[in-house]
Amino acid sequence: MLIKSSRDGLNPPLSSEITPREVYEERRKFIARMAAGAVAGSALWEMANREAFAQGAPAQKLAARANPALSTTEPRTAFKDATGYNNFYEFGLDKGDPAENAHTLQTRPWTVSIEGEVKKPMRLDIDSLTKLAPLEERVYRLRCVEGWSMVIPWVGYSLSNLIKHVEPTGNARYVEFTTLADRKQMPGLRSGVLDWPYVEGLRLDEAMHPLALLTVGMYGQVLPNQNGAPVRVVVPWKYGFKSAKSIVRIRFTRDQPKTAWNDSAPSEYGFYSNVNPKVDHPRWSQASERRIGEDGFFKKKRETLMFNGYPEVALLYAGMDLKKFF
Ligand SMILES: Nc1nc2c(c(=O)[nH]1)N[C@H]1C(S)=C(S)[C@@H](COP(=O)(O)O)O[C@H]1N2
Ligand SMILES: [Mo]
């Protein structure tokens, strides 16, 4: 296998992690200043506008009832950070790339095809999917395998609603999620870092857990493109990469699906990928994390919690060796 350069694959937060964020925030400010100056109508002006749009400027509001029982009361990450510091490799490898590039994603019309071991295979357009169950706001911690975390108010409903709706057959044991892969809309597909499309998967009982969220919005509005519009999953007790964005296909299978990160580096990313401070990534520790927004130079890292602080999922793994099934 290839030796990964620092631009390949997911990477730990080097001590320089803070710098890139500041750098692109500076760049953003610079662009804004330029736009405010004598550059109206120029290419720079265009660029600044595109960025503003990618930031979700006039966004569609989404009404949702708060679900405090399934929400953390920790301070929410600033919208600007949650929508400006992203992993969405289909739009580039740098944290600022998705915000800058994802404006090309066409989120309407959008259909999700539900296939495989179900009694009712179907294609659902984004509106029917959004209306399938009452929308809730749930504030979840998101822990990236790279060692940073955020707190995000998502809007959606338990994935179990959709699963029950399509009636899995007795053969269904896993659920596979596939992201759109369209070179015309996604400049990042030119990179060979992953074998596109981006595919993730869960065991059926994991997908049925009430915490697993079919997500259509965040911060009271539809998902910004860089966060996986128009529909993604959010699985808060697992590393962020399990939460596939911009999903076009949900397939129920008998066998464990092949997943993108596991496929690209099986020794680094397991199928389960539950957040586990006791199982280090081969290239870095997972014992602590940096909360985005708190990353001042002297700010201490936070301790990472087992299952990202969602101990109620432990029963899904009773009797399993979580070092082996990492
Ligand atoms: N299709 C797709 N989904 C993806 C990714 C990606 O590169 N492509 N990155 C994952 C990773 S590594 C993380 S941490 C989360 C980040 O979600 P956020 O940008 O909404 O915070 O999305 C996940 N889902
Ligand atoms: Mo991640």
Side-chain angles (χ1 to χ4, degrees):
M1 200 194 7
L2 287 166
I3 306 287
K4 289 177 180 297
S5 81
S6 65
R7 283 189 58 97
D8 288 334
L10 294 164
N11 281 293
L14 304 170
S15 53
S16 63
E17 196 240 4
I18 306 152
T19 316
R21 199 160 74 94
E22 281 167 358
V23 166
Y24 75 74
E25 273 168 8
E26 274 313 309
R27 184 170 45 135
R28 191 153 283 151
K29 278 187 220 144
F30 168 75
I31 290 167
R33 272 200 304 275
M34 294 305 280
V39 289
S42 70
L44 251 183
W45 172 253
E46 261 259 288
M47 227 167 105
N49 275 330
R50 262 206 278 117
E51 283 221 359
F53 188 73
Q55 293 286 313
Q60 196 193 316
K61 295 255 183 298
L62 260 191
R65 194 182 332 145
N67 185 333
L70 296 182
S71 294
T72 172
T73 55
E74 289 167 86
R76 301 167 184 206
T77 298
F79 180 79
K80 173 172 139 299
D81 288 336
T83 57
Y85 187 86
N86 303 98
N87 277 331
F88 197 169
Y89 280 9
E90 287 85 338
F91 294 102
L93 303 184
D94 291 338
K95 296 292 184 270
D97 287 347
E100 205 169 308
N101 299 329
H103 60 93
T104 50
L105 179 67
Q106 298 280 275
T107 57
R108 269 172 193 275
W110 190 279
T111 43
V112 178
S113 160
I114 302 171
E115 308 172 7
E117 293 289 349
V118 286
K119 293 190 193 117
K120 296 181 175 164
M122 58 181 78
R123 289 172 64 80
L124 284 170
D125 66 65
I126 189 60
D127 293 317
S128 328
L129 195 62
T130 301
K131 285 187 212 126
L132 194 84
L135 295 178
E136 294 178 13
E137 178 174 81
R138 302 205 192 150
V139 189
Y140 283 168
R141 284 177 292 277
L142 176 120
R143 169 60 155 82
C144 178
V145 74
E146 296 166 330
W148 49 267
S149 61
M150 298 196 193
V151 174
I152 299 183
W154 301 109
V155 175
Y157 52 76
S158 291
L159 180 58
S160 63
N161 290 289
L162 176 63
I163 296 177
K164 286 179 200 149
H165 185 69
V166 298
E167 299 180 24
T169 70
N171 293 326
R173 291 172 57 225
Y174 294 90
V175 193
E176 175 198 73
F177 305 93
T178 305
T179 296
L180 178 74
D182 180 357
R183 281 170 166 261
K184 291 196 289 295
Q185 301 180 52
M186 300 171 139
L189 297 191
R190 285 191 293 255
S191 130
V193 62
L194 288 174
D195 190 8
W196 314 106
Y198 192 102
V199 176
E200 258 312 329
L202 298 170
R203 226 170 47 195
L204 185 58
D205 59 337
E206 296 181 309
M208 287 294 292
H209 193 281
L211 280 170
L213 194 71
L214 189 89
T215 306
V216 293
M218 63 196 276
Y219 298 84
Q221 59 180 61
V222 298
L223 282 172
N225 289 357
Q226 61 267 39
N227 295 91
V231 60
R232 67 177 299 176
V233 286
V234 176
V235 192
W237 70 93
K238 292 178 180 281
Y239 291 117
F241 71 85
K242 295 297 289 182
S243 297
K245 296 177 168 181
S246 305
I247 292 169
V248 290
R249 187 166 78 140
I250 300 178
R251 196 164 64 98
F252 292 75
T253 64
R254 208 187 269 261
D255 301 318
Q256 186 175 301
K258 197 174 112 165
T259 57
W261 278 108
N262 179 245
D263 206 39
S264 100
S267 62
E268 303 195 358
Y269 311 107
F271 176 79
Y272 285 92
S273 283
N274 292 315
V275 174
N276 190 340
K278 292 193 212 101
V279 176
D280 288 341
H281 185 282
R283 293 185 281 141
W284 62 85
S285 159
Q286 292 292 23
S288 65
E289 66 200 56
R290 194 181 297 285
R291 182 66 51 86
I292 298 297
E294 291 183 343
D295 45 5
F297 197 72
F298 297 105
K299 190 77 193 179
K300 267 183 64 191
K301 285 184 151 199
R302 288 168 175 257
E303 228 180 275
T304 287
L305 304 173
M306 187 64 199
F307 299 123
N308 199 24
Y310 297 94
E312 60 267 50
V313 302
L315 58 103
L316 294 169
Y317 311 104
M320 278 174 71
D321 178 351
L322 296 181
K323 289 212 154 84
K324 185 166 169 229
F325 297 99
F326 64 92

